[in-house]
């Protein structure tokens, strides 16, 4: 399982409307629940519980919030791009990869997170994502 | 005998189950020994920790989950082999899949490697980093890649 196989246009939010960390996480979870018909409150709680263990900002304007929960099926990826930097713990972030996976999908969950980490190691790809104006542009950047 | 020692590499995919089925049928028909190897990808877990995506407690937690997944798949494959009355050797190893497959091949005189289907190329970047692609490219023994096929399931179920 990798980012190319997992990305869905409906699960790309460009631009995110919120201007703070918790707002962005809520917004991305909301999109996930709208598209996949999951239950929002429990998922937000699971994401925030994971954030309490340690920041998911990884540098270079990227955050990879993630969690596992029985409230979803499969492994789900929501991508958010902000037009401005958002304060995220001690970092500033514009690119968000939210990964929410079922408790029984750890192997695929790890594979997807690894794929995201490799993708984000490229400054060119990060810059392309950060400058994307539409979900279509994000989708094409990831698929090329 | 064309092959004496077959190794089928499996991961957590359905295609791996099909590859295992094919390898079981092949071993049965040729009289070759069959080993099944699952590599728990601790390298990726470690890399995620170094990249600050995982915290320490997650590293332990996810590794444990990956081991449980491996155990589940291997138990399923053992049951399949039992249905065909075939004795197989199964191994779960932690590490980096291409490295561990190579070591296993050398240590066990493997002369045929069976792999699940390699993914369609959708991204050159992902192709270069895919474990299966790397195992295929770097194998020092002949490789048989099993395409997903309903026929494999029918053939496997024959005579059970």
């Amino acid at each position: 399982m990798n980012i190319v196989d997992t990305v869905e246009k409906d699960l790309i939010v460009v631009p995110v409307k919120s201007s703070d960390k918790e707002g962005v996480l809520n917004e991305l979870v909301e999109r996930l629940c709208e598209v996949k018909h999951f239950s929002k409150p429990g998922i937000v709680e699971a994401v925030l519980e994971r954030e309490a263990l340690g920041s998911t900002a990884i540098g270079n304007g990227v955050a990879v919030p993630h969690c596992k929960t029985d409230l979803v099926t499969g492994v789900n990826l929501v991508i958010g791009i902000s037009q401005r930097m958002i304060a995220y713990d001690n970092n500033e972030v514009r690119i968000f990869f939210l990964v929410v996976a079922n408790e029984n999908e750890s192997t695929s969950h790890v594979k997807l997170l690894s794929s995201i980490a490799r993708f984000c190691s490229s400054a060119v790809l990060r810059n392309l994502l950060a400058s994307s104006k539409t979900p279509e542009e994000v989708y094409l950047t990831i698929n090329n | 005998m064309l092959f004496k020692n077959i190794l089928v590499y499996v991961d957590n995919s359905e295609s791996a189950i099909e590859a295992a089925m094919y390898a079981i049928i092949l071993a049965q028909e040729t009289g070759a020994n069959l080993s099944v190897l699952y590599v728990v990808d601790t390298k990726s877990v470690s890399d995620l920790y170094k990249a600050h995506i995982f915290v320490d407690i997650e590293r332990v937690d996810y590794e444990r989950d990956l081991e449980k997944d491996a155990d589940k798949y291997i138990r399923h494959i053992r049951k399949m082999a039992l249905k065909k009355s075939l004795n197989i050797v199964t191994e779960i190893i932690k590490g980096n899949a291409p490295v561990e497959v190579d070591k296993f091949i050398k240590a066990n005189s493997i002369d045929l490697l069976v792999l699940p289907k390699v993914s369609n190329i959708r991204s050159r970047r992902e192709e270069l980093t895919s474990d299966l692609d790397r195992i295929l490219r770097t194998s020092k023994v002949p490789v048989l890649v099993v395409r997903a096929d309903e026929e494999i399931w029918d053939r496997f179920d024959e005579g059970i």
Side-chain angles (χ1 to χ4, degrees):
Chain A
M1 167 162 281
N2 57 52
I3 189 175
V4 174
D5 294 334
T6 316
V7 68
E8 296 179 45
K9 276 186 214 170
D10 286 349
L11 292 176
I12 299 173
V13 181
V14 180
V16 297
K17 295 187 179 69
S18 307
S19 55
D20 63 275
K21 174 185 171 180
E22 209 164 299
V24 172
L25 293 179
N26 263 280
E27 200 176 327
L28 298 181
V29 171
E30 191 161 323
R31 174 61 69 91
L32 174 66
C33 296
E34 273 169 16
V35 172
K36 300 276 184 155
H37 311 292
F38 298 141
S39 161
K40 184 183 169 190
I43 297 173
V44 171
E45 198 182 312
V47 171
L48 293 176
E49 260 177 35
R50 167 54 189 87
E51 289 299 313
L53 295 177
S55 181
T56 52
I58 61 170
N60 297 312
V62 178
V64 190
H66 59 276
C67 67
K68 38 179 180 164
T69 170
D70 280 338
L71 296 170
V72 304
T73 54
V75 181
N76 306 275
L77 169 64
V78 187
I79 299 174
I81 309 291
S82 171
Q83 286 182 335
R84 62 186 77 78
M85 284 294 189
I86 292 176
Y88 198 105
D89 306 313
N90 294 323
N91 274 278
E92 288 191 311
V93 173
R94 280 188 68 185
I95 304 168
F96 303 83
F97 294 91
L98 171 67
V99 179
V100 184
N102 182 273
E103 298 265 0
N104 294 319
E105 296 282 359
S106 289
T107 300
S108 298
H109 191 173
V110 166
K111 283 185 182 168
L112 177 59
L113 288 172
S114 299
S115 177
I116 291 168
R118 283 193 299 272
F119 184 92
C120 292
S121 66
S122 162
V124 170
L125 292 174
R126 288 196 310 266
N127 289 338
L128 281 170
L129 280 190
S131 61
S132 297
K133 300 283 186 283
T134 64
E136 178 72 35
E137 284 180 33
V138 172
Y139 187 81
L140 286 173
T141 299
I142 289 169
N143 273 278
N144 280 332
Chain B
M1 192 187 296
L2 191 57
F3 307 112
K4 284 188 189 161
N5 297 304
I6 300 172
L7 169 66
V8 58
Y9 168 78
V10 296
D11 55 22
N12 70 321
S13 61
E14 192 168 313
S15 356
I17 297 295
E18 285 159 348
M21 280 182 178
Y22 195 96
I24 288 168
I25 294 168
L26 187 62
Q28 202 180 34
E29 290 182 0
T30 60
N33 299 314
L34 178 61
S35 301
V36 183
L37 177 64
Y38 191 118
V39 180
V40 175
D41 189 8
T42 49
K43 184 182 181 305
S44 287
V45 175
S46 176
D47 287 347
L48 288 172
Y49 176 71
K50 287 176 195 164
H52 306 293
I53 292 177
F54 275 178
V55 293
D56 202 34
I57 192 175
E58 282 181 303
R59 188 166 53 167
V60 173
D61 185 35
Y62 277 84
E63 215 172 279
R64 191 175 46 229
D65 285 350
L66 264 53
E67 285 175 38
K68 278 189 201 164
D69 280 353
D71 194 55
K72 191 172 72 181
Y73 268 75
I74 289 293
R75 273 190 282 118
H76 182 68
I77 292 168
R78 275 203 208 111
K79 282 184 194 165
M80 290 192 323
L82 202 60
K83 282 185 185 175
K84 290 290 195 185
S85 306
L86 185 71
N87 286 327
I88 60 172
V89 169
T90 60
E91 190 94 26
I92 299 174
I93 295 176
K94 293 190 210 181
N96 180 348
V99 169
E100 297 305 327
V101 168
D102 188 51
K103 277 184 190 169
F104 192 97
I105 285 172
K106 284 178 190 151
N108 295 279
S109 307
I110 300 297
D111 45 27
L112 175 68
L113 174 61
V114 177
L115 293 180
K117 71 168 180 146
V118 179
S119 56
N120 293 330
I121 297 172
R122 290 188 56 204
S123 156
R124 186 63 70 181
R125 184 185 63 249
E126 288 297 335
E127 188 203 358
L128 286 171
T129 53
S130 148
D131 279 345
L132 270 182
D133 280 280
R134 280 169 60 204
I135 293 168
L136 174 62
R137 279 200 305 275
T138 58
S139 172
K140 296 175 182 64
V141 301
V143 180
L144 191 154
V145 177
V146 178
R147 300 267 177 220
D149 197 330
E150 267 184 34
E151 210 180 286
I152 293 171
W153 293 81
D154 293 337
R155 217 170 136 197
F156 190 84
D157 289 337
E158 271 171 24
I160 290 180

